[in-house]
């Protein structure tokens, strides 16, 4: 069983990637050079989208992505929310996939709302060098490359469904009939 990497500091390539989302990337880089402890508001929709979940549920999604899936892109915690950075277009597509999964039905009432930030939205990203042990603003998985892998809507749907139903294992095989007689045919002559 794997777990999310412990990359909590943004690398120089990660800084360049984050700044590329800003309307004025050089100004953002200059701000961070002066004050790497400053959080910055960045627009969504072109370089990344963000799916925001309550902290505990978002952490469960992150655990599913790393333990059972392909891993995650950058992930931050800010003001009681887990921010999962996603491929552009995810914010537009994920809500309809969640509806398709009957996310709002009786079965899913215990599932917290996921906020999808895409084109026209902006998010506050934690400081580059934050060591906020209090959990207010920090990177769980910091950007460390100029082209990080970003999960799309289908991957995040899968993680949300798994996080919402942690005890349910999905199998393609029907449950075994407990009263069935089982014969070992592997020793046939």
């Amino acid at each position: 069983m794997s777990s999310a990497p412990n990359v909590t500091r943004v690398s120089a390539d990660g800084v360049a990637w984050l700044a590329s989302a800003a309307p004025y990337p050089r100004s953002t880089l200059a701000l961070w050079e002066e004050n790497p402890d400053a959080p910055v508001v960045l627009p969504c929709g072109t370089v990344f989208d963000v799916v925001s979940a309550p902290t505990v549920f978002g952490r469960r999604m992150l655990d599913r992505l790393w333990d059972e899936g392909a891993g995650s892109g950058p992930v931050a915690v800010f003001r009681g929310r887990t921010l999962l950075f996603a491929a552009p277009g995810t914010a537009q597509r994920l809500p309809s996939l969640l509806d398709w999964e009957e996310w709002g039905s009786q079965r899913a009432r215990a599932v917290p709302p996921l906020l999808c930030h895409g084109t026209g939205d902006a998010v506050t990203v934690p400081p580059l060098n934050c060591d906020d042990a209090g959990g207010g603003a920090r990177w769980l998985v910091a950007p460390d490359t100029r082209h990080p892998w970003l999960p799309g809507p289908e991957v995040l749907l899968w993680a949300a469904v798994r996080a919402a139903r942690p005890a349910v294992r999905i199998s393609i095989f029907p449950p075994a009939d407990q009263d069935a007689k089982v014969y070992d045919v592997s020793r046939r002559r």
Side-chain angles (χ1 to χ4, degrees):
M1 187 185 281
S2 64
S3 61
N6 190 13
V7 180
T8 58
R9 292 200 182 269
V10 181
S11 71
D13 285 342
V15 170
W17 175 73
L18 285 169
S20 73
Y24 304 101
R26 288 188 298 204
S27 297
T28 302
L29 288 171
L31 170 69
W32 272 330
E33 279 181 25
E34 267 184 48
N35 189 3
D37 297 327
V40 173
V41 176
L42 294 176
C44 300
T46 55
V47 174
F48 55 78
D49 281 0
V50 172
V51 175
S52 172
T55 303
V56 173
F57 188 76
R59 184 56 199 228
R60 287 184 13 210
M61 285 179 65
L62 179 62
D63 289 344
R64 294 307 164 282
L65 287 166
W66 282 98
D67 292 346
E68 303 170 22
S72 72
V75 179
V77 174
F78 187 75
R79 292 190 177 168
R81 306 286 294 182
T82 299
L83 307 176
L84 297 125
F85 286 70
T90 297
Q92 181 179 356
R93 180 83 176 112
L94 185 58
S96 61
L97 290 175
L98 291 169
D99 287 343
W100 179 76
E101 275 290 322
E102 299 177 348
W103 207 248
S105 71
Q106 279 296 97
R107 293 183 315 171
R109 289 229 173 164
V111 175
L114 300 179
L115 306 176
C116 298
H117 304 285
T119 304
D121 297 326
V123 295
T124 302
V125 299
L128 302 178
N129 299 325
C130 63
D131 292 321
D132 183 0
R138 62 188 169 93
W139 290 100
L140 295 177
V141 180
D144 61 352
T145 177
R146 286 183 187 264
H147 304 286
W149 178 77
L150 297 172
E154 295 84 3
V155 172
L156 290 174
L157 171 69
W158 173 87
V161 168
R162 290 285 165 92
R165 302 176 190 133
V168 175
R169 290 283 183 212
I170 298 172
S171 174
I172 61 171
F173 300 106
D177 183 356
Q178 298 300 323
D179 296 327
K181 295 186 191 261
V182 178
Y183 301 97
D184 183 3
V185 294
S186 63
R187 296 182 192 205
R188 283 182 129 175
R189 293 180 196 210

